[in-house]
Amino acid sequence: MAIAIMISTFGCINSLVLSGARAYYAMAQDKLFFPKAAQLNAAKVPGHSLWMQCAWAAFLVLPRTFDTATGKYGNLYGNLLDYIISAALIFYILTIAAVFRLRAKKPDAERPYRVPGYPVTPALYIAGATVVLLILAAYRPPPRGRDSSSY
């Protein structure tokens, strides 16, 4: 089971790293990001974008924290993960809620993709994601101040 989880994790990381660099590349081509990110290397890969992504990830993940209450060191990764999951869940909920709004506002619009089990499936997703979001808010609240959080 551990090997299967490792393979899945490495596959996910691979796709996220490569798609993130391509997002920088596309933004740079539209003049919305650093021009250097729009260049491909000899292997037709946005190498500069990959290095920029590497630097940004290191900047976010590598700094150490110190919890004054326990006297232990840590890193920002746990906090970052909580914030990213919370933000992603909010936007996932809003995206699924938009399906209901779109169906109500434009009932005769062409639907190239039908939601299986509509309206139960999207409603269950919204309910489940909301529960996860509330649990995150209850059990992993944001830091309140310098004395009660990790820095």
Side-chain angles (χ1 to χ4, degrees):
M1 185 55 117
I3 290 172
I5 291 171
M6 285 173 45
I7 291 170
S8 174
T9 301
F10 289 137
C12 180
I13 289 171
N14 179 40
S15 65
L16 290 174
V17 167
L18 294 178
S19 64
R22 290 286 178 178
Y24 296 161
Y25 171 74
M27 288 170 49
Q29 284 188 320
D30 292 341
K31 308 225 184 309
L32 299 172
F33 200 61
F34 302 112
K36 200 81 166 157
Q39 297 175 359
L40 297 177
N41 62 18
K44 304 286 187 217
V45 173
H48 294 291
S49 295
L50 283 167
W51 281 111
M52 288 178 196
Q53 183 172 336
C54 172
W56 182 245
F59 174 76
L60 291 174
V61 175
L62 293 179
R64 302 292 292 170
T65 60
F66 180 72
D67 188 349
T68 55
T70 62
K72 293 182 180 178
Y73 286 94
N75 62 29
L76 297 175
Y77 184 76
N79 291 346
L80 265 174
L81 190 61
D82 290 342
Y83 298 146
I84 289 169
I85 288 174
S86 299
L89 280 173
I90 289 168
F91 285 102
Y92 293 160
I93 290 168
L94 290 173
T95 301
I96 301 302
V99 171
F100 289 109
R101 174 115 170 119
L102 181 65
R103 296 256 174 128
K105 223 168 162 98
K106 297 186 179 185
D108 298 329
E110 182 183 340
R111 312 244 185 265
Y113 177 80
R114 294 208 167 278
V115 178
Y118 181 84
V120 175
T121 306
L124 284 173
Y125 180 86
I126 289 173
T130 302
V131 167
V132 171
L133 193 58
L134 292 173
I135 289 171
L136 265 176
Y139 290 103
R140 299 290 293 203
R144 297 271 184 242
R146 202 166 181 95
D147 294 329
S148 64
S149 67
S150 299
Y151 285 98

